[in-house]
Structure formats: structure tokens, C-alpha cells
Amino acid sequence: MHRWLALSNNTLFVYYLLSNLIYLILLVTAIFRNTWHRHRLASLRLERVKISPFTPPITLIVPAHNEEMFIIDNVRALLALDYPSLELVVVNDGSRDNTLAELRRSFQLRTARLLYIQEIPSAPVREIYTSATDPRLIVIDKDSAGSKADAVNAGLNAATSPYVCIVDADSILEKDSLLRIMASVFSDPQRVVAAGGIVRVLNGCQVSGGELRHVKLPRGSLEVMQVIEYLRAFLIGREAWAHFNALPIISGAFGIFGTDLVRQVKGYRTRAVGEDFDLVMRLHRHLHDQGKDYHISFVPDPTCWTEVPADLRSLARQRARWQKGLLDTLWPNRDMLFRPRYGRIGCLILPYMWLFEFFAPVVELIGYSTIILALVLGLLGRQFFILFLIFGYAFATLISIGSVLLEEMTYRRYTDWREVARLLLYCLFEHFPYRQMTLIWRLQGIWQYLRGDLRWREMKRTGISAGPMPNV
């Protein structure tokens, strides 16, 4: 018993040391990349991208299921994006509310006689409409298969542009987001096959007519914690992994892909729980199998704003689903592990995702249990125990503080010093008790997946993008 506890605690110490060292490397890499990107922004001339005859058309695909509250404002905002050649495909995925009726009324939809080839399987399409007021708008009405992936696949079949951009119906893109994200493609069009932009928290912001008017922090503590999480995940994690050409995921809320490439892998896996992670991993596999020299990039300044859960139940469901989606992608791709054929994906990112993402809540739970048991049995000195907890807490908090400071040094979305101070203050509470809450939810996700529960479980939404928000 004593030997087992000693081995467990030593393993836990090495695990946390490696985890913190990796995050430190990612943080340093992200600081370097953001500094480079800031200099690049100073020389970037978006107007040249806009007027260039080589700027390729983009098809925006918006899956919509029961989105009547804000679908009209958001479609109008997407059609008003600053991009020279744009096609918008809205997929009404079996909505039970008035989503389709609102679209028909506001955009004068009429039945279209378009050639629709179901190259990628999806649930049956009932009808295809075009707008009498804006010919760039296409609306697909289809049966629901119970997944966002199936709706996007129907949109992929209708897309006519060389690039597709997947956007959630309840998200808001900044006016120049497409120009900025496409600038990364122009930098190396032969190698860059996909790119992701940063996703930020919309809660608390002032919105009118589907457009962001003023950036503000949310009122609720739960939402502020998620602001910090998103900054750390995107500005540190994805920025750094993209630098190593090992980006494992492009957010399903905002990502751009080569249309032909996505069709080659047969679109999204319909039953995938985490369809965004699953697609990017299948793209990595396909491109390595083809022996292609490619890059999947991340661009931190084209911004998508999205609503995050504001109540514990919805947040718990989301985090459990994310953990299910993680395992649902890692397990089918387990044959890529440690295979030189798959380069950094097989030898670096997949081992990291297994060890420090999927197993993290399990290791953490075991670690809490064994270290407390060792303390009770007198096998661990109280001073060492306290120092260990302080070290783990301080280092993790430092990473969160680093992400907030990185945001303020580069993009300064939160301009009020009181909001920045509030963000920094909440960094002190993110790793206790918020981290322990997410630990429980992630363990629930693992248990649900292992017993075959792959349900999506809808979250409570407030319809933030439907209208203006009051001052905070």
C-alpha cells in the first residue's frame, strides 16, 4: 500500500511537471508568434486583398436548427461582410420553429431549379430556395439527422466556391474577418489548405442587428471564467500548435477549408460527437497518406463572437460533450499513434491529446485521492503537500494570466482597465474551484461515451445576438 502510494504520487508529480513544461513552451511560442503577427498586421493591406482579381470566392455554410430568434439579423450581417465574392448557404436542418418561415418572409425566397448533386451523403433535402432580394443567398430545407455535421454536408453539396467557411447560426463575424483569414491563405496558397480564426465570448457585449457594437465582459462569473478559457485555448494553445504545423482542431464556429479537400474526405462524419476535431484529424490523415506538403493555420485576429453557456447545467453538458467528442475522434485514429508516416500528428499531437487532454481528468482524480491518502497516513510531509499545491496552483494561474496579458498586449479587445483587472482577478479562481467542476463534467463525458450515450443534449440559450444588450 505504502509503495503503491509513493509510486502514484511520484508519477503524479512527473505528470504535472511535464504538463506545466509543455504549457510553458506553448506560452513562449505563442508570445513569439503573436509578436510576429502584430508586425504582420502593421503591413497588411486588406484593401489589396479585397480588390485583387486573385481573391477567390467563399461559400459561407450556416447550419440552422430552431434559430428563429436571430437567424434574420445574422444572415443580413453575413451578407454584409466585407468580402468581394461571397455565397451564403443556410441549411434549415429540420427546424420545428419558424426559422424557414422567417427566412422566406424576409428574403423573399422562391423555389430554385438548381442542380444539386448529393456527392456527400446527408439526410433528404426537401427543397432549395434562392432569394429574390439577394442572389447570393441559398437556403436548403432538409430533414434533420440529429447532427450539425449532416447539415453542413448538405451545404457542402451546394457550395460552388473553391473555399468554404463554416459558421454557427448564432455566431457573429466581424466585418473584415473573411479578408483577414484569407490573408493567411494568400501568404502560401500552395500549402495552406485550411485556417481557423479566434472565437471569443459574446456574452455581455452590445449587439444590434446581428452586428457587434461594443465589447464588454459578461456579468456572470461563470461566463468570465470561459472568457479566460477561450483566450488561453486560442491565443496560447492553437497559436502555438499551428506554429509547429500540428494544429489538431479548427473551431466549428469559424473555420475555412478548401472545398475540394473536404469533399475528398467525404465531408463531416455524420455521427461524430466532436465534428470539428474529427474533420481536421481526417484531413491530416488524408494529406499524409497522399504525401502532401501542407499547412493548417491559425489566425488570431479574424474574430468570431459566440454565445457561451451562462448556467451550470448547460456548461456541464457542453464540457461532457467536448470530452465525448475528444474520445470519439482519438479512438478511430489510434492507428496513427507513434507512426512516423503521420509526422508530428502521429508522434506529437496525438500522444499529447491522449495523455494530457483525454486522461487528464482521470489522472487528476487519482492524484487528488492518493496525495490526500498519503498525507493522512503520514507518508507525505504536510509542508511538501502545501508546497506542491501552491506550485501547481501558481503555475496554472500564471498561464491564465499570461493569456490575458497576451490579449492586452496585442489585440486589446477589452479597453476598460477595470475589465482587464477583473479578468486578472478571475484568473486566481479559475484553477480552484472552477477546474474541479470541469473535472467532474469531463469524467461524466467519459462515462457517457463508454456506455454508448452519444446524445448532443441541447443547451439553454438566451438569444444574445438577437438584439442589443444593456450596459454592463
Side-chain angles (χ1 to χ4, degrees), residues 254-298:
F254 182 36
I256 192 165
F257 304 88
T259 307
D260 288 341
L261 177 61
V262 179
R263 286 173 176 164
Q264 286 172 21
V265 299
K266 300 302 179 184
Y268 285 83
R269 181 162 61 93
T270 304
R271 292 303 174 189
V273 182
E275 73 287 334
D276 44 6
F277 181 30
D278 180 80
L279 175 65
V280 175
M281 291 309 302
R282 288 192 296 113
L283 291 179
H284 280 300
R285 176 190 286 272
H286 174 76
L287 290 163
H288 276 286
D289 285 342
Q290 297 293 318
K292 302 289 187 181
D293 179 26
Y294 73 95
H295 183 69
I296 297 178
S297 68
F298 171 76

Side-chain angles (χ1 to χ4, degrees), residues 57-61 75-90 107 109-110 114 129-139 158-161 175 178:
I58 293 178
T59 296
L60 287 169
I61 298 178
V75 166
R76 285 174 177 157
L78 290 172
L79 289 171
L81 289 176
D82 198 8
Y83 197 81
S85 184
L86 187 66
E87 176 183 64
L88 176 58
V89 177
V90 178
F107 296 101
L109 298 184
R110 56 192 178 189
L114 299 177
Y129 303 92
T130 56
S131 170
T133 60
D134 195 323
R136 298 175 299 167
L137 175 62
I138 298 172
V139 175
T160 62
S161 306
K175 293 275 288 187
L178 293 181

Side-chain angles (χ1 to χ4, degrees), residues 146-147 271-274 317-318 320-322 324-325 445 448-449 451-458:
S147 72
R271 292 303 174 189
V273 182
R317 287 180 170 181
Q318 182 193 64
R321 176 169 55 82
W322 285 2
K324 287 190 288 187
Q448 290 169 8
Y449 185 87
R451 62 187 179 92
D453 181 1
L454 304 182
R455 288 176 294 169
W456 183 271
R457 287 189 171 88
E458 293 186 4

Side-chain angles (χ1 to χ4, degrees), residues 408 412 414-424:
E408 285 306 299
R412 292 186 57 81
Y414 301 102
T415 55
D416 189 331
W417 69 267
R418 289 168 295 187
E419 293 196 330
V420 177
R422 189 169 171 228
L423 272 177
L424 293 172

Side-chain angles (χ1 to χ4, degrees), residues 9 64 142 149 156 171 234 380 406 443:
N9 289 333
K142 63 179 284 293
L156 285 167
S171 298
F234 284 93
L380 189 66
L406 188 60
L443 289 171

